[in-house]
Amino acid sequence: VRRVRIPAAAEQAVAASQPAAEILLDLLATAARIDQALLRKTRVRLRQDDQSADALVEYLAWHHPDCWRSIACCGLKAGEPYERRLLNRARLQKANPELVRDVQALIDQQHSAYSCALQLETELRSWNERDRQQQAESLSLLQRVIDRLRQLALMPASAEGTNSGLPVWFNDMIHRLPPQVRGSQQLAALIAEGLALTDTWLREERILPAGVSEQQYREQLQVAEHRLGAGLPLNLDVGLQGSTLVLKPPGESLRPWWPLGQIQAVARKHLTVSVESNTGERQLVSRMLENGSDERIPLPPDARAVCLETPASRLQLHKISRPTWAQRFWQDQWGLAAEFRIGNVPFVMRWIPPGRFLMGSPEGENGRYSDEGPQHEVTISQGYWLGQTPVTQQQWQAVVQAAKKTDLKPKPSTFAGKPDHPVESVTWHDCVAFCQLVQGHLGSDLTFRLPSEAQWEYACRAGTTGAYHDGSACTQPEGNDPALDRLGWFSENGGGSTQPVGLKARNNWGLYDMHGNVWEWCRDTMRGYPAEASVDPLGPETSGASRVLRGGGWDTSARFCRAAYRSSYDPDFDCHSHGLRLSAG
């Protein structure tokens, strides 16, 4: 190896030319490609203002470490050096606007001879320096590129679709733009649409660059994927295997499997997963999913919330701890459940999430009464717990016997001696006192009480709109209604008495015996239905006034067991078909 000593005079010349070389690259920061002709013209223009801009300046700029190089051209690398030079260029524009304007004209002239893609990138890099007419021309050019991406998205399997380099270039180009340009109000929608269209090709994690609107991106992604997948709905089951979140096609059997919910996608599934830790740190993962295959997402031990989102739907999951009043706490296909015990007798409560529903019945429903209308929208603003079954004789006895002082009878039922049958022959006042006894056993974390009439119907329907909680209609209001026969005990199948709880089909939230077996007392009095929507409606709780009963009983016809049917009795009245269901919130 022979060492070559650089003469001191040469070192001095390089040092003297370096500042001009830096300025030269700052001036060219908006150029997507710097070829030798452009570099020469820009250096000559700079020399008019800076006599040190000699030929050596070109060499130093060409070989600068901030640049990438090929045989015929060079350009600034993306990242911090590029961002810094854009700021330097903005300072130069304030100090010498004529110089910057002349150089930009040289860049535009040179790039007009290239493809529209390179021309577009250069124009977008200098977006904030352009006048309205120039910006309008750039928008038109950007729209042409988006139109081409849209055409390619319609034929991804064709030779033209698979060989096109436009999607990759567009994605990289947007990442090279300054954040303030990506966030421009005039450009935001087109940039979001372009990125959404490129995701029909790029099967990689998508992290949106700063400045791009996440909401606009998702809206455009939904449009793009519905166009590509012909809008075909596709549901995915979401669950846990250990600490791994698993998305799978419905019906596929996995062991072990802890179901959490379901999310809807389209034929080409784009999934974004946001994981929030206990410290508030947020991790974002974005990917394209293959049809017919499971997707597995390992969750960190400190994950406290997960949001899964496709262009069609969103599923939010939150880690929650077992309530202090519950001995057991779990989630199954019907939702959350918790169990507490009094006197070693279990009580299972089901979580009823907040939401909206249509309360009452439509005018054409079989067996309908006028006080069930008008049908109106009701919002239940807070979630609450509701007993999985009506309170049983065994549960009633356990609570009363565990109480230190109460006037309640431990065995009030007419059909006594049947522990798993619902308790009956209890007044409204008895039921209120019972709820207070449960409250006394479990402490003040929850308030135990009877559900309101609106809460009862909302829980009964569980998202359905038919006469019964499975969505079916009442076809035989006074006879042996086949739909009701599957769901509850009534006059045609009750056998002349109450029946064990939990034998008929449960509803979508895991509640049994919402139709028939025993009428269930509600907290409020009967109110007149309004035509307008309401939030958490509650009838007057006037002392001594009649209280609402819902659900029908073992001795009533099908019409009285419908979800919308309303009855009321004096709060001191007890009957061999009147019982209760615990509510807590």
Side-chain angles (χ1 to χ4, degrees), residues 361-500:
S361 60
E363 293 185 2
E365 184 170 298
N366 279 344
R368 181 182 191 267
Y369 286 90
S370 60
D371 64 357
E372 297 170 21
Q375 201 172 30
H376 59 293
E377 183 181 273
V378 167
T379 297
I380 303 297
S381 64
Q382 299 290 328
Y384 56 99
W385 295 96
L386 196 64
Q388 179 171 267
T389 69
V391 172
T392 64
Q393 294 181 29
Q394 182 184 39
Q395 291 172 336
W396 181 280
Q397 183 177 349
V399 171
V400 172
Q401 289 180 342
K404 295 180 180 178
K405 184 179 180 181
T406 180
D407 293 330
L408 294 179
K409 300 177 182 178
K411 298 181 179 181
S413 298
T414 300
F415 304 105
K418 299 179 178 181
D420 57 350
H421 284 229
V423 69
E424 26 79 16
S425 300
V426 289
T427 68
W428 180 86
H429 290 299
D430 291 339
C431 296
V432 170
F434 177 83
C435 293
Q436 293 171 349
L437 290 180
V438 175
Q439 179 80 48
H441 283 295
L442 299 183
S444 58
D445 286 351
L446 281 182
T447 300
F448 283 85
R449 57 193 177 193
L450 296 173
S452 70
E453 182 183 16
Q455 287 177 329
W456 188 96
E457 185 173 331
Y458 174 65
C460 175
R461 293 188 179 279
T464 62
T465 57
Y468 305 123
H469 66 57
D470 64 348
S472 58
C474 177
T475 57
Q476 299 289 333
E478 301 297 337
N480 188 15
D481 194 310
L484 180 58
D485 188 51
R486 301 190 305 270
L487 308 176
W489 305 103
F490 64 118
S491 58
E492 298 297 320
N493 65 2
S497 72
T498 58
Q499 296 296 322

